[in-house]
Each structure stands twice: as C-alpha cells, then as structure tokens.
Amino acid sequence: MVTTPQQPSTHPVYVIGGGPGGLAVAASLRERGVRAVVLEKSDAVGASWRTHYDRLRLHTTRRLSGLPGLRIPRAFGRWVARADMVRYLEKYAEKHELEVVTGVEVFRVERAGAEWVLHATGGRRLTGRAVVVATGYNHTPHLPEWPGLDGYEGELGHACGYRNPGPYKGRDVLVVGAGNTGAEIAADLAEGGAGRVRLAVRTVPHLVRRTTLGWPAQRSGILIRRLPAGLVDRLGALVARFATPDLTAYGLPRPDTGLATRQRAGAIPVQDVGLIDAVRSGKVEVVAAVDAFEGGKVLLADGTRIAPDAVIAATGYRRALEPLLGHLDGVLDGHGRPVAHGARCPREAPGLHFTGFTNPISGMFRELALDAERIARRIARSDRRAGRG
C-alpha cells in the first residue's frame, strides 16, 4: 500500500475584524510572507473609530501608539484625534497593501481537522489554516438590566451614540458611568453648553493626570506593569496625593482599592481630560449610582428621584464572542473572555488566536502592536514546520 503525503494547506489566515488590531496582525503576517485576509463587517477599516464621539483623542502618546511598519505622522500631534486615527488606519491598510474584504460578517467559526471553517454573510463558507479574532474589546453596547427600564418614558441612549454636545445645549443630562468614556462625555457636555450635567457613579474611579510635568501616564503604566500589585497600589496612592486633588467634598473620594488591584480586575484608571476642573467648578455634579427607572424618573441608590431631559449610559460594552465561538470547548472562560491571548492559542484550539481583548494600563495600541508581532511569528513558524514556508 502506497501512502500519499498530505499536502500542506494553501488556505489563507483569516483575520476577523478590520480595526487596528486586525490590521496590525495582517501587516505583520504579510511582512513574513504569510497571506492574510481581513474580514470586516462594515464598509471600511477602522469602523469603530469612525463612530466615536468627536472630541475623542488617544489617551496614549503618538510615539507609543503606532502599529508595526508605520509610525503615526508627527503632524497629528502628541494626542491623536479621532479623525486623524481614521486617516492613519486607512493609510496603514494602503501602505501594507492589505487584503481587506468589507461587508462580510463572520457568524460562526468551527474546527475542521487541522483547519478552520468560517460561516459568513451571503452563505459563505471560508476555510483558513489559522484564524485571528480581532473583533474588539468594545464590541456590543451594554445596558444594565435596571428595574423599570422597559417602561421608562424619558430619553435614553448608550454612549456609543453620542457624538457632540450640540443636541444637549441647555438641557439637563445624566451621564451614567464614570469610566473614561463617561468622564469625558460629562466634561464635553459641561464645556459644550448643557444646562445641567450630572454624573452617576457606582464605583469611584482612580483619576490620573494624562501628563505630570510633561511625563505621560502611559510611560508610568509601562514601567509598573510587571511590578507586584501591592507595590503599585502604594506608589499609585502616593502619586495621587501630589498629582490629583481630593474631590471628596464633591462626591468623588479617593478609591479604597488600589490602582493595580482595580486594574487587574478589569478597571483601568480614568485619565483626566477636563473632569476634575468641571467637578470643582460645579459644572458636573456627582450623584449616586442609578438603581432603577420609574415612569419618567430615575431612582438613584441614595433614594433620590430625578427627572433629567436625557440619560446617556456610558455603561460599557460586551465582547459578544459567544455566538461566534461559544460552541468550542476550552476557548472562552465563564465570563465570555478568551482563555488565551496573543501568540498563545487555547489548548484545544491550535491555530486560533485573539488580539485586543485586554485593556492594559500600558496602552491598548501598544499592546496590539506587540500582539501582532507575536502572533505573526507564531503562525510563520508553524507554517515552516508544515512545509509552507
């Protein structure tokens, strides 16, 4: 009996998501001679950046936020604006001649022997020798299941729909959630002419200056990232006493949980881009967390009932990976997060990689760039072993 050797797979590597993470992986693979096809459900790369609020700028420096193979132009400034980031991502895909297919959404990924089958729009069944999931940390807007929400008669929207303060001039607005998005939207509304701005806070955030004496907070994040949490907590508390004012009198006491301890539980510090001044001047009022909705009113945790003209829920996003991958054993944890990240694959799913599903204190874009190189090296090495390179 003669056995015919199995030919190495010629199928491409599929990258799901045309945001910065997906583009960085595709460019790093192409640099190593590996064909990568980016599948993007919208009609252009960088879709999420196109829909963010107008005021948004990177909270990380231009120099530490470039993706592999292309620096962010110096003309974009130290803190890159949303529109400039879109331009950069477009240029990135063009410069690296990336193979991007838009208008294709992947609904399900299945293992097929040593390969992967992707089920996508239009009845497509795409076969790849590896898959990189880069659908993003902030994928699907999340609204808490507040009692009475279904019957709320007022105006309620998620922060994903906020663009600028124009529609809220002269109005009473409640922003729910004191993460980076909620803090920045509240400051934007206060500066943009809203009649009254309240910020509902459940967990007091760590507030950090974007820069202190010219030193960006991101560089500190890089330096302390690998230090023990207890040590970082103590250092963070010391720096906070000198760098940020005590806002206890305004309803924002210093957190009782350390900076690193909080971050490793998934909550990164809030960079101040106007909130501190807005709170101290009374332009943003800090109120208790939202507990429920009653008719046209909002019930706060301290028993107060308020009736704002509009509510903006800056209550985060879900990764929403369960429909795509939830049927695969050993890929997602109990919270729907990937069990492996970057170059590492889940033990039961070799060839499946994830990027962009952590929110490091050292900066998301920097992490995406590092992930891209690691993933590309791993896939290229696997190709060489399989006789494809």
Side-chain angles (χ1 to χ4, degrees):
M1 178 178 178
V2 178
T3 302
T4 302
Q6 185 175 1
Q7 294 298 314
S9 172
T10 57
H11 295 296
V13 174
Y14 281 108
V15 180
I16 306 174
L23 297 180
V25 171
S28 297
L29 286 168
R30 193 177 190 283
E31 180 68 20
R32 290 165 174 80
V34 178
R35 184 189 174 206
V37 178
V38 179
L39 303 175
E40 167 56 47
K41 69 177 181 179
S42 73
D43 60 359
V45 300
S48 64
W49 278 89
R50 296 173 188 275
T51 57
H52 284 315
Y53 47 93
D54 297 344
R55 168 192 173 114
L56 179 65
R57 290 180 178 270
L58 280 181
H59 288 175
T60 53
T61 67
R62 170 182 53 80
R63 289 187 176 182
L64 295 174
S65 301
L67 301 177
L70 184 65
R71 293 181 179 180
I72 299 176
R74 187 175 183 178
F76 288 179
R78 193 178 198 188
W79 312 104
V80 183
R82 179 195 65 82
D84 286 334
M85 181 51 60
V86 171
R87 291 167 56 196
Y88 170 72
L89 294 176
E90 290 174 339
K91 181 65 177 178
Y92 191 85
E94 177 185 344
K95 191 259 185 184
H96 290 287
E97 299 179 336
L98 301 183
E99 192 174 344
V100 180
V101 183
T102 59
V104 175
E105 182 175 4
V106 179
F107 298 109
R108 185 179 176 92
V109 176
E110 294 180 339
R111 187 74 176 166
E115 297 175 326
W116 294 90
V117 175
L118 288 68
H119 299 263
T121 48
R124 295 177 176 87
R125 288 172 57 91
L126 308 170
T127 302
R129 64 178 186 267
V131 174
V132 182
V133 181
T135 50
Y137 189 87
N138 296 334
H139 184 272
T140 301
H142 167 66
L143 278 178
E145 295 180 357
W146 287 302
L149 182 60
D150 290 344
Y152 181 56
E153 299 169 0
E155 179 182 328
L156 169 66
H158 191 272
C160 68
Y162 177 85
R163 295 294 173 269
N164 57 64
Y168 302 95
K169 284 188 176 181
R171 303 178 71 195
D172 181 346
V173 187
L174 173 68
V175 180
V176 185
N180 275 293
T181 298
E184 189 156 359
I185 288 177
D188 196 34
L189 288 165
E191 295 171 11
R196 184 179 189 180
V197 181
R198 285 176 279 199
L199 179 63
V201 178
R202 184 172 299 278
T203 303
V204 179
H206 283 273
L207 292 171
V208 299
R209 298 289 190 185
R210 189 162 62 177
T211 60
T212 302
L213 299 176
W215 179 264
Q218 182 188 8
R219 288 197 178 275
S220 296
I222 293 170
L223 291 175
I224 67 175
R225 188 177 178 197
R226 306 267 180 211
L227 294 179
L231 175 59
V232 175
D233 287 347
R234 291 192 292 274
L235 289 173
L238 179 64
V239 171
R241 282 199 292 271
F242 292 98
T244 57
D246 185 355
L247 300 177
T248 301
Y250 301 93
L252 280 178
R254 298 196 188 277
D256 55 10
T257 305
L259 185 149
T261 300
R262 182 81 63 82
Q263 189 272 330
R264 291 176 188 184
I268 63 172
V270 170
Q271 290 201 16
D272 175 47
V273 288
L275 180 67
I276 290 177
D277 288 345
V279 168
R280 295 176 78 180
S281 66
K283 293 181 179 179
V284 171
E285 306 167 46
V286 178
V287 298
V290 170
D291 262 6
F293 289 81
E294 295 180 349
K297 294 188 176 182
V298 181
L299 174 63
L300 303 182
D302 61 1
T304 305
R305 285 173 170 78
I306 61 176
D309 296 323
V311 178
I312 300 173
T315 47
Y317 296 78
R318 295 194 183 281
R319 287 160 284 272
L321 291 170
E322 291 85 353
L324 187 70
L325 301 161
H327 56 283
L328 298 174
D329 294 333
V331 170
L332 304 179
D333 66 14
H335 299 284
R337 299 172 299 201
V339 299
H341 193 85
R344 295 184 299 111
C345 300
R347 180 175 299 178
E348 298 179 25
L352 181 63
H353 297 270
F354 295 86
T355 184
F357 292 95
T358 61
N359 201 6
I361 198 171
S362 52
M364 175 68 82
F365 270 73
R366 181 177 181 272
E367 191 71 16
L368 292 174
L370 295 172
D371 266 356
E373 297 285 1
R374 294 173 185 139
I375 293 170
R377 283 197 299 268
R378 174 73 175 268
I379 292 176
R381 186 166 59 246
S382 297
D383 279 0
R384 288 194 296 272
R385 290 173 179 170
R388 287 188 287 262

